């Protein structure tokens, strides 16, 4: 396993697509840059925000970026339709999925409550990609919900303005966008997809097949750098937020620190990660998740784990343990 720089001189300009805009939810990447973690391993990344995981997966698949941070369920859906071009998951980060239906004020307490409601969705959102499967598995017919397709940058504003009754989102994105707008967390109501069987890991490091074939040492270095960056952020979340605010000065530091701490506590430092380390993949869990997606989407096949996952680049256990 790689524990030292893979080249004597750092490879500059390695583009990595983020899962969303630059903010507290992906602050650990910027801590890694600020602390020289990546450069010490022989590469200098550039991070680009995205409209969502679907865009991040497409970027890596088409070669505009060789690495990305993206939701695993979105990657699996892409793999079914594009088996030849599918990027591979090479290291998981989020062990728990943040996909949720969020409402404020009068709660949407069940999926049945969605019938006849207006639901704000973002086309590139990883949570949106799972909605057809979620509806089918829970007996909600197409047409029983009015979907309002919006730019994710204004999705939560429309909820505040009551232009929609709920939004499909990642919890840590919308919760803290609403907090920044003055909404109390006590007034927010969520139905997590994980409560309805989608117990799937979420945001993870992905790599293009070209990069896996041609530069496996760089894949190992990037995976190790990401692991070290997220572990460093777990040890010092405030330092990670300082690093991302230095990149995006308009961010509200206090809100982004709350956002990152929520991500670390809820989606990263799960019981499984504390026991097994970052990036642990339970094949039975993955099989159950893809079988559920196959039923929900009506796929002809249940995608095999190896069609979207390559375990060869996972750092050694000591590098994956959360302190």
């Amino acid at each position: 396993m790689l524990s030292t720089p893979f080249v004597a001189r750092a490879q500059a300009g390695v583009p990595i697509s983020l899962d969303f805009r630059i903010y507290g939810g992906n602050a650990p990447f910027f801590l890694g840059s600020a602390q020289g973690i990546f450069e010490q391993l022989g590469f200098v990344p550039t991070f680009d925000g995205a409209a969502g995981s679907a865009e991040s997966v497409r970027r890596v698949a088409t070669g505009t970026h060789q690495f990305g941070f993206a939701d695993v369920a979105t990657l699996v859906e892409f793999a079914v339709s594009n088996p030849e071009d599918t990027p591979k998951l090479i290291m998981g980060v989020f062990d728990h999925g943040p996909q949720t239906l969020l409402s404020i004020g009068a709660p949407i307490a069940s999926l049945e409550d969605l019938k006849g409601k207006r639901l704000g969705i973002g086309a590139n959102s990883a949570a949106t990609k799972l909605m057809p499967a979620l509806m089918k598995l829970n007996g909600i017919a197409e047409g029983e919900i009015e979907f309002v397709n919006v730019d994710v940058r204004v999705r939560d504003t429309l909820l505040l303005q009551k232009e929609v009754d709920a939004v499909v989102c990642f919890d840590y994105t919308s919760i803290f966008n609403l907090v920044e707008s003055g909404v109390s967390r006590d007034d927010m109501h969520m139905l997590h997809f994980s409560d309805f069987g989608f117990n799937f890991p979420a945001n993870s490091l992905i790599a293009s097949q070209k990069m896996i074939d041609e530069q496996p040492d760089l894949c190992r270095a990037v995976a190790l750098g990401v692991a070290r960056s997220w572990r460093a952020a777990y040890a010092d979340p405030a330092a990670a937020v300082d690093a991302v605010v230095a990149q995006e000065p308009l961010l509200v530091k206090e809100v982004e620190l709350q956002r990152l701490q929520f991500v670390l506590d809820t989606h990263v430092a799960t019981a499984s990660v504390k026991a097994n380390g970052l990036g642990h993949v339970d094949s039975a869990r993955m099989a159950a998740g893809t079988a559920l997606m196959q039923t929900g989407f009506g796929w002809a096949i249940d995608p095999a784990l190896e069609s979207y996952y390559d375990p060869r680049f996972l750092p050694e256990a000591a590098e994956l343990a959360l302190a």
Side-chain angles (χ1 to χ4, degrees):
M1 293 290 183
L2 185 72
S3 59
T4 56
F6 77 100
V7 290
R9 189 172 182 176
Q11 179 172 330
V14 175
I16 300 178
S17 175
L18 297 175
D19 56 312
F20 195 46
R21 63 183 173 89
I22 295 170
Y23 68 150
N26 45 46
F29 291 101
F30 298 93
L31 181 62
S33 290
Q35 292 187 347
I37 289 172
F38 301 118
E39 190 168 5
Q40 291 166 11
L41 292 168
F43 70 101
V44 177
T46 58
F47 297 109
D48 295 317
S53 285
E55 182 176 17
S56 186
V57 171
R58 283 197 302 271
R59 285 173 171 177
V60 178
T62 58
T64 64
H65 295 69
Q66 298 300 341
F67 297 95
F69 193 50
D71 173 65
V72 175
T74 303
L75 177 66
V76 172
E77 187 198 8
F78 187 90
V80 172
S81 302
N82 306 272
E84 300 300 321
D85 302 316
T86 300
K88 295 291 179 67
L89 159 64
I90 62 172
M91 197 192 77
V93 178
F94 286 22
D95 186 58
H96 176 262
Q99 299 94 337
T100 193
L101 297 161
L102 187 150
S103 57
I104 55 177
I108 290 178
S110 70
L111 293 179
E112 282 291 314
D113 290 345
L114 286 172
K115 292 181 179 179
K117 297 294 194 299
R118 296 160 299 167
L119 192 59
I121 61 171
N124 285 295
S125 162
T128 296
K129 292 292 183 181
L130 285 176
M131 273 303 296
L134 186 72
M135 291 170 60
K136 181 177 178 181
L137 290 166
N138 288 276
I140 299 174
E142 185 178 350
E144 290 188 293
I145 302 172
E146 180 184 349
F147 289 101
V148 181
N149 202 328
V150 300
D151 188 311
V152 292
R153 291 171 293 185
V154 300
R155 176 190 57 201
D156 302 327
T157 300
L158 293 183
L159 180 61
L160 273 173
Q161 295 173 344
K162 302 187 184 304
E163 295 292 326
V164 295
D165 299 297
V167 293
V168 179
C169 62
F170 271 21
D171 53 11
Y172 63 92
T173 300
S174 290
I175 285 173
F176 297 100
N177 289 352
L178 293 169
V179 164
E180 193 171 357
S181 297
V183 180
S184 168
R185 287 182 62 179
D186 291 337
D187 291 332
M188 302 180 203
H189 309 280
M190 286 176 287
L191 296 175
H192 277 94
F193 288 21
S194 58
D195 296 332
F196 302 96
F198 286 95
N199 180 29
F200 224 47
N203 292 6
S204 301
L205 177 66
I206 63 174
S208 68
Q209 192 59 54
K210 174 182 173 67
M211 191 59 53
I212 287 171
D213 292 339
E214 297 179 4
Q215 295 199 54
D217 283 343
L218 180 57
C219 291
R220 293 186 183 93
V222 174
L224 180 55
V226 170
R228 288 180 175 176
S229 297
W230 279 85
R231 288 180 66 217
Y234 183 72
D236 192 352
V241 171
D242 285 342
V244 78
V245 170
Q247 179 75 20
E248 292 286 341
L250 294 180
L251 294 173
V252 178
K253 181 177 177 179
E254 294 76 12
V255 173
E256 299 309 322
L257 183 56
Q258 291 179 57
R259 191 192 311 270
L260 177 59
Q261 193 65 63
F262 181 91
V263 166
L264 294 170
D265 292 343
T266 308
H267 302 305
V268 177
T270 64
S272 175
V273 168
K274 289 177 179 178
N276 302 295
L278 288 167
H280 173 69
V281 170
D282 183 321
S283 58
R285 177 189 180 190
M286 303 302 278
T290 56
L292 198 64
M293 291 178 71
Q294 180 190 17
T295 301
F297 284 112
W299 294 336
I301 62 165
D302 182 354
L305 184 59
E306 57 268 21
S307 70
Y308 61 89
Y309 174 56
D310 193 327
R312 294 176 296 168
F313 308 103
L314 201 64
E316 59 190 23
E319 296 282 4
L320 298 171
L322 289 180

